[in-house]
């Protein structure tokens, strides 16, 4: 726990008064209109800097030339099949800008990001596809007319002249009033909400606040899946005259990019219940993808009148042009009420944009206040992957499989958002009101969660049935099932399915009744949360990359533990299968099989997840040394945190198989694995020789976790065996790597073997997080962490950039490869968590603050809401919108009271094993009967 204010010498607070005058804050402080005390803030006129992408040195280019040629050839091959390669450094779309903000929607149903200046961008409606450029027709605008008509104001609520608007003389977007300077307007982000305050812009006597709310609600597995967001406008009239205020939401029938020009798109007005009315935009997707329907709506009340314009275009030949639409709003402040009776529009022609508009108008009395609420939803009930399989999204469990569910989604959003806000505040307030924590940490902790929405997440309804997994694999390859301990059905995850009619996947001509059939997990039939995917990053298109999930998974375990367990179950069953299809590995050009039995897969795939794993093909990851230990460590941590004995029994055979698989890498029978002289771990460009601090420490931790899990499950023989291996391996590890102040990078003789690796105690991090004994004595742990802090942190950018991955003992950055010289946000957060566990809170927060300063602050590189995998000393990033920085929740895990439900052995595992099963303090979920498993049931 944090033991007092640890930042007394640095500014750690950014109060709203520095951005908005106090009077305006007081005026907006009703119905949630005022921004919170802690938030990430920007003025809307902040310049959107172009971010600098990474480059490799000449020597690195020489070393990677063959890999580059093979990768280029592979990218072209995939493109010839109409697919995107998982890693493609050759094709970049546009220049990334420092413009991002809080994304819209819940998890797993596609996402849209709203930049802090008001533009809608980063459309991720289709799996693995990110349309980064803003759709400039998608805007909020305001029209104000003072009583008497002497004062009129009209402006798009986004500042400046954006690219893509067109020439000032045309009939399109340039004809609108882009009059907002942004000088007196500010953005305040505290995920999953944001506030945009227009303090006298464009009307000096009108204060406007727009509050964006999305249903990201921890432990709420229903509403958190919904693809919708609400925008609540708070209006305060400080003038002496009544003001007629009309807010306008315009929306293109588009899923990003140039999709609005593909044709056959239809818009349709609707009037719903409870005053909710607006437009449905039916979008016909390309390449056989399933259709998408958007709903844009506002809530009509006694004081608010809602009207619509079903269609307008962006070119001169449109029946109603963008210019005519704008003129109508400037003149009247609303559209014709009869437009609701027009019915669906004629399908759009190829090359013509089909946009719609919703207006909400109200009168605001002098010194009066008013609220106006809009909502946006998108319904894409089926998600289709590039190799053909389709699945129902999670939200269809509650809203059905019709695209018209978008209408119900906006209705429920507009009638439930206040309850959502209550849930959000109940979750966030204990942290926000903790005066012992610095402000930058509080809001960055929540804002890094943007990735669980904008990280390409896919959440399908019901778990992937085992029968589907097995039959699909059998049709495509030879599958070997591990039958250790007689558990040839463990891959089924306890599932029983009625033949193929209960599969989650579906084809185009399947009846809707068949689409609705589901296969239940009988071990956890009351806890079915479906299957969840999230990308390694929007530039690395691989689902649930496991070596990175190791860092990110703390967020899911803390906030959505059932999803975390579902991911572990999927990897557990994957461990015990083999996929013998041939794959060419790009690093050395050799061929191997796609998935080796006993090896934890690197990822769940790209274009056919669950069925074609290991989309990563640079190295043969069956030879990596970190994946299997990371699987064991995550499983034990989750097992200890939830107290779910049925989960433990379910995945135990996979744990045993994963550990046994690693024995082949113990070359000298000292019970310690060795690396093989290539980058055989998550640092996949950083070669390791012999015993390594990173993989070796993970292995020690996995040995201890396996012994503890065996003891908990009543398998004392296995517990004793792994305890003895641990003791022997630990002696070898310390003798080969400990140099008196830290553990050497590896036991080889290369020029970087004595480098100080920031991540060398990753295994110790997991021991502390799981309630298990430390791997080493306190002196070694604190000495190592202090060394890393003094060298990897404080010698880089004055301690304000995070921890560089590698540092020579002479104080120079390790330039062995691009990864050794990078700062990785997720690794830095994990290091900070390890420091906090070790009682070094000040060093931990100082270390993590470097990520905030370099990535999120106004003085930094501009990575807010797109935190990359890493950056160099001069601010060149690699791989934006990346999974690993979710590791900041590992810090929160360390700061919170004891998280584990299952006690560690009362006798230190490093000395001897307690023969009796571990005690259980309190079960989070009632343990299921273990009868019929490899363990004896006490029932």
């Amino acid at each position: 726990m944090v033991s007092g204010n640890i930042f007394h010498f640095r500014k750690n607070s950014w109060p709203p008064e520095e951005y908005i005058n106090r009077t305006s804050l007081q005026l907006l402080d009703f119905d949630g209109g005022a921004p919170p005390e802690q938030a990430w803030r920007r003025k809307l006129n902040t310049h959107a800097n172009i971010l600098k992408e990474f480059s490799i040195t000449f020597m690195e280019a020489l070393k990677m030339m063959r890999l580059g040629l093979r990768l280029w050839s592979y990218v072209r091959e995939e493109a010839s099949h109409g697919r995107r390669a998982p890693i493609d450094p050759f094709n970049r779309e546009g220049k990334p800008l420092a413009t991002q903000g809080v994304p819209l929607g819940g998890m797993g149903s596609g996402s849209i990001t709203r930049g802090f200046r008001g533009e809608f961008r980063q459309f991720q409606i289709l799996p693995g596809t990110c349309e980064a450029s803003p759709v400039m027709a998608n805007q909020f605008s305001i029209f104000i007319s003072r009583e008497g008509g002497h004062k009129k104001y009209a402006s798009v609520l986004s500042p400046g002249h954006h690219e893509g608007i067109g020439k000032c003389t045309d009939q399109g977007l340039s004809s609108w009033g882009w009059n907002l300077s942004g000088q007196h307007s500010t953005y305040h982000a505290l995920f999953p909400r944001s506030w945009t305050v227009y303090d006298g812009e464009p009307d000096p006597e009108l204060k406007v606040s727009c509050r964006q709310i999305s249903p990201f609600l921890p432990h709420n597995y229903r509403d958190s899946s919904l693809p919708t967001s609400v925008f609540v406008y708070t209006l305060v009239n400080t003038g002496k005259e009544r003001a007629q205020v009309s807010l306008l939401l315009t929306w293109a029938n588009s899923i990003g990019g140039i999709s609005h020009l593909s044709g056959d798109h239809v818009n349709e007005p609707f009037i719903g219940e409870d005053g909710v009315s607006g437009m449905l935009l039916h979008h016909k997707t390309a390449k056989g993808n399933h259709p998408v329907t958007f709903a844009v709506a506002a809530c009509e009340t006694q004081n608010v009148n809602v009207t619509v314009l079903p269609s307008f275009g962006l070119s001169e030949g449109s029946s109603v042009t963008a210019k005519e639409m704008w003129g109508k709003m400037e003149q009247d402040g609303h559209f014709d009420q009869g437009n609701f009776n027009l019915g669906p529009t004629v399908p759009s022609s190829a090359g013509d944009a089909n946009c719609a508009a919703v207006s909400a108008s109200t009168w605001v009395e002098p010194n009066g206040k008013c609220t106006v609420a809009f909502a946006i939803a998108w319904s894409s009930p089926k998600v289709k992957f590039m190799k053909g399989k389709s699945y129902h999204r999670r939200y269809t469990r509650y809203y059905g499989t019709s695209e018209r569910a978008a209408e119900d989604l906006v209705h429920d959003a507009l009638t439930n958002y206040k309850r959502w806000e209550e849930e959000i505040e109940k979750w966030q307030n204990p942290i926000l009101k903790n005066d012992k924590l610095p402000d930058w940490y509080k809001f960055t902790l929540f804002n890094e969660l943007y990735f669980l929405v904008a990280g390409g997440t896919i959440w399908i309804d019901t778990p992937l049935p085992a029968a589907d997994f097995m039959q699909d694999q059998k049709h495509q390859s030879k599958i070997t099932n591990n039958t250790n301990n007689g558990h040839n059905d463990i891959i089924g995850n306890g599932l029983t399915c009625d033949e193929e009619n209960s599969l989650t996947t579906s084809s185009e001509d399947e009846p809707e009744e068949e689409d609705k059939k589901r296969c239940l997990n009988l071990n956890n039939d009351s806890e079915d949360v479906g299957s969840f995917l999230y990308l390694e990053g929007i530039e690395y298109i691989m689902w649930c990359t496991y070596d990175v999930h190791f860092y990110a998974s703390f967020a899911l375990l803390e906030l959505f533990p059932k999803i975390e367990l579902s991911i572990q179950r999927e990897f557990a069953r994957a461990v015990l299968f083999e996929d013998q299809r041939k794959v060419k590995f790009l690093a050395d050009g050799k061929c191997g099989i796609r998935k080796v039995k006993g090896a934890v897969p690197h990822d769940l795939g790209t274009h056919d997840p669950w069925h074609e794993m290991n989309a990563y093909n640079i190295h043969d990851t069956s030879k990596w040394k970190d994946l299997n230990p990371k699987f064991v460590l995550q499983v034990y941590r989750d097992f200890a945190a939830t107290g779910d004995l049925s989960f433990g029994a379910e995945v135990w055979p996979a744990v045993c198989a994963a550990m046994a698989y690693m024995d082949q890498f113990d070359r000298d029978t000292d019970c310690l694995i060795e690396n093989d002289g290539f980058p055989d771990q998550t640092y996949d460009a950083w070669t390791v020789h012999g015993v390594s601090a990173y993989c070796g420490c993970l292995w020690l931790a996995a040995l201890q976790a396996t012994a503890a899990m065996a003891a908990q499950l009543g398998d004392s023989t296995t517990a004793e065996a792994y305890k003895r291996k641990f003791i022997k391996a630990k002696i070898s590890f310390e003798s080969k790597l400990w140099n008196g102040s830290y553990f050497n990078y590896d036991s080889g003789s290369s020029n970087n073997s004595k480098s100080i690796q920031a991540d060398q105690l990753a295994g110790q991090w997991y021991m502390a997080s799981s309630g298990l004994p430390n791997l080493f004595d306190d002196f070694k742990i604190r000495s190592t962490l202090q060394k890393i802090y003094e060298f990897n942190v404080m010698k880089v950018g004055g301690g304000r950039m995070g921890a560089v991955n590698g540092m020579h003992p002479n104080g120079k950055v390790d330039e062995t490869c691009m990864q050794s010289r990078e700062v990785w946000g997720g690794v830095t957060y994990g290091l900070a968590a390890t420091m906090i566990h070790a009682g070094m809170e000040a060093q931990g927060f100082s270390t993590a603050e470097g990520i905030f300063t370099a990535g999120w602050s106004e003085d930094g590189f501009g990575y807010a809401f797109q935190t990359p995998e890493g950056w160099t000393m001069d601010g060149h990033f690699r791989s934006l919108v990346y999974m690993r920085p979710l590791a900041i929740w590992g810090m929160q895990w360390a700061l919170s009271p004891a998280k584990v439900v299952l006690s560690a052995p009362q006798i230190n595992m490093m000395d001897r094993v307690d023969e009796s099963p571990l005690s259980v303090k309190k079960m989070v979920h009632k343990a299921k009967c273990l009868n019929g498993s490899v363990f004896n049931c006490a029932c």
Side-chain angles (χ1 to χ4, degrees):
M1 295 293 293
V2 175
S3 54
N5 284 313
I6 61 176
F7 282 103
H8 54 84
F9 57 96
R10 290 182 182 173
K11 176 182 174 182
N12 68 342
S13 178
W14 291 262
E17 291 86 350
E18 293 189 8
Y19 292 78
I20 311 168
N21 73 66
R22 189 176 298 273
T23 301
S24 296
L25 284 171
Q26 292 172 346
L27 289 170
L28 291 168
D29 191 18
F30 86 101
D31 196 30
E37 285 295 316
Q38 293 92 16
W40 180 86
R41 311 186 199 278
R42 285 293 183 276
K43 286 188 175 292
L44 265 61
N45 65 348
T46 302
H47 181 65
N49 294 322
I50 297 176
L51 305 182
K52 297 184 292 185
E53 297 189 59
F54 85 102
S55 59
I56 57 177
T57 66
F58 177 73
M59 290 304 298
E60 288 168 349
L62 285 178
K63 292 178 182 178
M64 300 172 68
M65 184 176 296
R66 292 180 179 178
L67 166 61
L69 290 172
R70 295 188 191 104
L71 180 58
W72 179 72
S73 177
Y74 174 67
V75 167
R76 291 187 63 190
E77 179 186 353
E78 286 294 286
S80 71
H81 297 291
R83 299 190 295 262
R84 179 181 175 185
I87 300 175
D88 179 5
F90 307 108
N91 298 298
R92 302 288 187 186
E93 296 181 7
K95 295 288 185 181
L97 300 172
T99 58
Q100 306 291 40
V102 174
L104 280 61
M107 300 189 298
S109 295
S111 70
I112 304 165
T113 291
R114 192 179 188 210
F116 73 83
R117 299 195 300 175
E119 71 280 11
F120 294 88
R121 54 172 63 240
Q122 300 250 146
F123 281 68
Q124 297 186 74
I125 307 299
L126 304 179
T129 301
C130 180
E131 297 289 353
S133 298
V135 177
M136 294 309 298
N138 296 355
Q139 298 288 345
F140 280 104
S141 302
I142 192 167
F143 302 82
I144 306 157
S145 178
R146 293 282 172 178
E147 197 167 43
H150 301 300
K151 298 178 184 177
K152 285 194 172 186
Y153 306 89
S155 181
V156 179
L157 290 175
S158 182
H161 189 87
H162 298 261
E163 292 182 13
I165 291 177
K167 300 177 181 178
C168 60
T169 56
D170 64 24
Q171 298 290 309
L173 299 179
S174 65
S175 63
W176 294 1
W178 299 88
N179 302 319
L180 197 77
S181 73
Q183 182 179 357
H184 302 292
S185 300
T186 52
Y187 180 83
H188 312 257
L190 185 65
F191 179 90
R193 295 188 293 174
S194 68
W195 291 254
T196 306
V197 177
Y198 307 91
D199 192 2
E201 288 191 272
D203 182 346
E205 296 178 321
L206 187 71
K207 313 293 184 184
V208 181
S209 169
C210 173
R211 187 166 85 259
Q212 175 185 315
I213 308 147
S214 291
F216 183 96
L217 310 170
H219 307 286
N220 183 333
Y221 296 87
R222 180 192 187 279
D223 291 358
S224 295
S225 71
L226 304 184
T228 185
S229 283
V230 175
F231 300 83
V232 180
Y233 279 85
T234 301
L235 309 173
V236 180
N237 183 5
T238 61
K240 297 179 180 180
E241 305 139 322
R242 293 176 74 211
Q244 184 187 34
V245 181
S246 298
L247 290 158
L248 175 71
L249 172 57
T250 51
W251 201 260
N253 197 324
S254 169
I255 57 172
I258 59 171
S259 62
H260 59 290
L261 301 177
S262 57
D264 283 337
H265 309 313
V266 174
N267 299 345
E268 178 184 0
F270 73 90
I271 298 177
E273 298 178 351
D274 300 313
V276 176
S277 54
M279 292 295 307
L280 297 175
L281 292 82
H282 306 289
H283 186 84
K284 183 178 180 181
T285 59
K287 299 181 180 179
N289 286 298
H290 299 293
V292 181
T293 292
F294 290 95
V296 290
C299 191
E300 184 159 312
T301 67
Q302 185 176 357
N303 301 317
V304 178
N305 179 49
V306 177
T307 57
V308 300
L309 181 64
S311 180
F312 69 89
L314 304 180
S315 58
E316 198 166 322
S318 305
S319 58
V320 178
T321 65
K323 184 176 183 178
E324 291 168 338
M325 183 278 299
W326 189 267
K328 172 70 171 175
M329 285 299 299
E330 276 191 307
Q331 178 178 328
D332 299 336
H334 58 83
F335 300 114
D336 297 334
Q337 196 68 37
N339 288 347
F340 280 111
N341 302 319
L342 294 178
T345 63
V346 175
S348 62
S349 302
D352 291 337
N354 191 11
C355 306
V358 177
S359 167
S361 305
T362 187
W363 282 94
V364 188
E365 300 297 326
N367 300 313
K369 301 177 180 181
C370 182
T371 58
V372 179
F374 290 84
I376 299 171
W378 53 97
S379 179
S380 177
K382 282 186 179 180
V383 56
K384 179 184 177 183
F385 294 95
M386 290 296 292
K387 291 197 173 180
K389 290 188 177 64
S390 295
Y391 305 88
H392 284 105
R393 295 189 190 264
R394 171 74 176 178
Y395 79 90
T396 63
R397 166 171 291 224
Y398 315 107
Y399 286 85
T401 57
S402 168
E403 292 86 14
R404 296 188 68 89
E407 180 179 339
D408 296 325
L409 284 162
V410 288
H411 170 272
D412 290 357
L414 286 167
T415 54
N416 289 325
Y417 74 85
K418 291 184 179 180
R419 175 178 59 81
W420 293 347
E421 290 195 285
E422 289 174 0
E423 289 189 42
I424 291 167
E425 289 170 5
K426 183 178 179 180
W427 158 46
Q428 294 184 339
N429 280 345
I431 294 172
L432 296 175
K433 293 181 179 179
N434 185 344
D435 293 334
K436 296 178 180 179
L437 298 172
D439 281 358
W440 70 262
Y441 170 77
K442 296 175 188 179
F443 59 76
T444 306
L445 176 73
F446 293 115
N447 285 337
E448 287 283 18
L449 290 171
Y450 84 93
F451 189 84
L452 289 177
V453 173
T457 52
I458 300 292
W459 193 355
I460 67 168
D461 189 24
T462 78
L464 186 74
D468 186 18
F469 182 91
M470 295 163 65
Q471 290 178 20
D472 184 82
Q473 293 267 23
K474 286 177 181 177
H475 290 159
Q476 298 184 48
S477 62
K478 298 178 181 178
I479 302 298
T480 305
N481 189 9
N482 187 322
T483 59
N484 270 354
N485 301 320
H487 272 251
N488 59 347
D489 64 340
I490 193 69
I491 297 306
N493 198 13
L495 298 172
T496 58
C497 303
D498 294 329
E499 305 292 333
E500 294 183 0
N501 65 352
S502 61
L503 302 185
T504 306
T505 53
S506 59
S507 60
E508 291 302 309
D509 55 356
E510 222 173 350
E512 191 148 309
E513 288 81 26
E514 288 297 307
D515 284 348
K516 297 297 288 181
K517 289 187 178 180
R518 298 292 182 259
C519 176
L520 297 178
N521 180 337
L522 298 184
N523 273 356
N524 291 280
D525 55 353
S526 63
E527 301 169 7
D528 174 15
V529 296
S531 291
F532 187 85
L533 300 171
Y534 65 147
L535 291 174
E536 179 176 339
I538 62 169
E539 296 179 32
Y540 295 167
I541 312 298
M542 295 164 283
W543 301 109
C544 294
T545 299
Y546 201 74
D547 55 306
V548 186
H549 180 68
F550 174 79
Y551 299 83
S553 58
F554 281 92
L556 286 174
L557 180 60
E558 175 80 31
L559 305 175
F560 298 95
K562 294 177 184 178
I563 290 178
E564 167 62 11
L565 293 187
S566 76
I567 292 174
Q568 301 299 3
R569 287 185 172 102
E570 286 165 355
F571 275 90
R573 65 177 169 188
V575 167
L576 302 175
F577 274 110
E578 186 160 288
D579 183 345
Q580 295 186 1
R581 284 174 288 182
K582 295 295 183 183
V583 174
K584 182 177 181 179
F585 301 111
L586 304 179
D588 56 13
K590 296 179 181 178
C591 290
I593 65 174
R594 178 170 291 279
K595 167 67 181 67
V596 176
K597 180 178 64 178
V600 173
H602 172 274
D603 56 78
L604 293 179
T606 292
H607 299 306
D608 193 7
W610 299 292
H611 307 280
E612 189 176 273
M613 299 183 185
N614 284 334
Y616 177 92
N617 61 349
I618 293 179
H619 297 290
D620 181 354
T621 59
S622 70
K623 298 176 181 178
W624 276 20
K625 310 307 183 294
D626 63 336
L627 287 168
N628 283 36
K630 285 176 175 177
F631 169 72
V632 174
L633 292 176
Q634 289 182 76
V635 161
Y636 182 79
R637 179 206 56 190
D638 298 350
F639 175 53
T642 62
D644 190 335
L645 290 178
S646 64
F647 167 75
E650 217 173 309
V651 301
W652 177 243
V655 169
C656 293
M659 292 299 288
Y661 180 86
M662 296 300 290
D663 286 342
Q664 64 183 298
F665 303 120
D666 176 13
R667 318 292 187 193
D668 52 6
T669 65
D670 62 351
C671 296
L672 186 63
I673 60 171
E674 286 87 36
N675 292 79
D676 285 329
F678 75 100
D680 49 358
Q681 24 78 46
T682 194
Y683 300 91
D684 59 352
W686 200 357
T687 298
V688 194
H689 300 276
V691 176
S692 79
Y694 181 67
C695 294
C697 186
L698 290 170
W699 175 245
L700 289 181
L703 290 171
Q704 180 159 267
T706 305
M709 190 169 182
Q712 176 64 56
L713 293 172
D715 188 347
S716 58
T717 301
T718 299
E720 176 66 22
Y722 276 100
K723 167 257 185 178
R724 296 188 185 283
K725 291 184 73 171
F726 168 78
I727 293 173
K728 187 175 180 180
K730 177 176 178 286
I731 294 170
S732 180
F733 181 85
E734 290 186 338
S735 67
K736 291 180 178 180
L737 296 181
W738 180 250
N739 61 22
S741 59
Y742 66 95
F743 295 97
N744 291 334
Y745 175 69
D746 64 27
S747 62
S749 57
S750 64
N751 61 2
N752 72 321
S753 288
K754 289 182 168 49
S755 285
I756 307 162
Q757 185 177 12
D759 212 4
Q760 60 184 279
L761 289 183
Q764 169 57 31
W765 173 29
Y766 259 70
M767 293 298 90
S769 299
S770 305
L772 289 175
N774 290 336
L775 295 178
F776 315 107
D777 61 59
D778 287 346
F779 170 78
K780 288 187 176 69
I781 293 171
R782 292 179 68 92
S783 173
T784 299
L785 292 173
Q786 187 64 31
K787 190 75 172 184
I788 296 169
Y789 179 71
E790 291 174 357
F791 280 70
N792 300 59
V793 178
M794 297 308 296
K795 291 184 181 295
V796 177
R800 298 178 66 78
M801 291 192 67
V804 69
N805 284 333
M807 176 71 77
H808 289 296
N810 64 2
K812 293 184 178 180
V813 172
D814 186 340
E815 301 274 355
T816 302
C817 66
M818 66 178 183
Q819 292 175 340
S820 64
R821 57 186 167 90
E822 289 178 330
V823 172
W824 286 8
V827 168
T828 299
Y829 287 142
L831 169 62
T834 311
M835 291 173 170
I836 292 168
H837 280 299
M840 301 170 64
E841 292 97 343
Q843 294 93 324
F845 275 93
S846 177
T847 295
E849 189 184 10
I851 302 302
F852 167 76
T853 302
W856 289 79
S857 76
E858 288 191 85
D859 299 326
F861 301 132
Y863 302 145
F865 299 102
Q866 52 186 336
T867 322
E869 160 72 310
W871 55 79
T872 57
M873 305 304 101
D874 55 356
H876 286 75
F877 75 86
R878 183 169 58 81
S879 185
L880 288 173
V881 191
Y882 197 78
M883 181 198 294
R884 205 184 312 252
L886 284 170
I888 192 173
W889 281 86
M891 293 178 65
Q892 189 60 26
W893 190 269
L895 288 165
S896 304
K899 292 284 187 181
V900 294
V901 173
L902 303 184
S903 300
Q906 294 182 3
I907 301 174
N908 195 313
M909 288 296 299
M910 291 187 286
D911 299 326
R912 61 184 183 275
V913 170
D914 184 1
E915 292 293 329
S916 62
L918 304 182
S919 63
V920 180
K921 291 179 181 175
K922 176 184 176 184
M923 289 298 172
V924 173
H925 309 296
K926 183 179 178 182
K928 307 298 187 297
C929 177
L930 303 183
N931 189 29
S933 74
V934 291
F935 313 109
N936 295 323
C937 180
C939 296

